[in-house]
């Protein structure tokens, strides 16, 4: 399985707007949190999971999210696959990052907020891998 973008929609009329995604299945979600970078210069990279999945959606602003598959989890020397996504607040798009990938996240606008959802609770399993930004090209 590879990362994929599940497109949402926007409805607007005289009353205001409604962002929605009727095709998103949230039944696997056990945990929700938000990320706000201090500035558009900061990059949160590289963090990922061999078992856990993540879903990302922009609540405010926009984000560049790079997703890579490392060639080895304990001591990577390269990547097997690389993907790049831009998600924006305009529609309720969800970026699904399946297990086996690392992410790098950069806000493209000031005050951007990213909703993150996970399919495991904190402490449920030990599956967190972090590497310095310099380990892979952002």
């Amino acid at each position: 399985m590879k990362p994929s973008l599940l497109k949402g929609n926007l409805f607007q009329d005289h009353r205001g707007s409604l962002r929605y995604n009727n095709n998103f299945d949230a039944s696997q979600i056990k945990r929700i949190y938000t990320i706000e970078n201090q500035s558009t210069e900061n990059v949160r990279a590289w963090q990922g999971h061999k078992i856990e999945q993540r879903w990302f959606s922009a609540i405010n602003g926009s984000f560049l999210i790079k997703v890579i598959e490392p060639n080895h989890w304990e001591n990577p020397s390269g990547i097997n696959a690389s993907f790049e996504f831009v998600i924006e607040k305009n529609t309720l798009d969800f970026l699904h990052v399946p297990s086996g990938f690392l992410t790098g996240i950069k806000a493209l606008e000031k005050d951007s907020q990213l909703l993150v959802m996970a399919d495991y609770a904190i402490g449920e399993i030990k599956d967190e891998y972090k590497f310095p930004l310099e380990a892979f090209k952002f």
Side-chain angles (χ1 to χ4, degrees):
M1 184 177 277
K2 65 181 184 176
S4 60
L5 192 63
L6 183 59
K7 296 294 287 175
N9 265 302
L10 172 67
F11 173 79
Q12 292 180 307
D13 66 12
H14 67 280
R15 300 168 292 175
S17 61
L18 172 70
R19 296 186 307 157
Y20 62 95
N21 194 319
N22 292 336
N23 296 315
F24 177 68
D25 177 3
S27 63
Q28 298 178 72
I29 306 303
K30 291 188 177 181
R31 186 162 55 98
I32 298 173
Y33 56 96
T34 62
I35 294 174
E36 295 179 52
N37 286 358
Q38 278 294 92
S39 82
T40 56
E41 300 302 314
N42 291 354
V43 176
R44 292 177 175 266
W46 295 100
Q47 181 171 325
H49 309 276
K50 285 170 57 174
I51 301 168
E52 291 186 52
Q53 302 178 77
R54 291 286 189 277
W55 292 263
F56 299 91
S57 186
I59 297 172
N60 194 40
S62 59
F63 289 86
L64 170 61
I65 301 179
K66 294 194 178 186
V67 183
I68 61 172
E69 180 182 33
N71 65 350
H72 190 273
W73 280 91
E74 302 306 325
N75 191 16
S77 60
I79 59 173
N80 293 333
S82 176
F83 305 89
E84 188 172 301
F85 300 90
V86 173
I87 56 175
E88 303 171 315
K89 73 171 185 174
N90 300 336
T91 57
L92 196 57
D93 295 344
F94 286 95
L95 170 60
H96 174 231
V97 178
S99 56
F101 291 91
L102 301 169
T103 57
I105 299 167
K106 181 176 186 198
L108 298 176
E109 301 173 49
K110 186 179 180 202
D111 298 324
S112 291
Q113 296 176 312
L114 187 66
L115 177 69
V116 185
M117 296 170 283
D119 62 344
Y120 282 87
I122 291 274
E124 189 173 352
I125 59 173
K126 289 188 110 181
D127 183 44
E128 189 169 350
Y129 293 83
K130 291 183 179 184
F131 300 95
L133 177 60
E134 303 77 32
F136 306 99
K137 183 181 177 192
F138 186 83

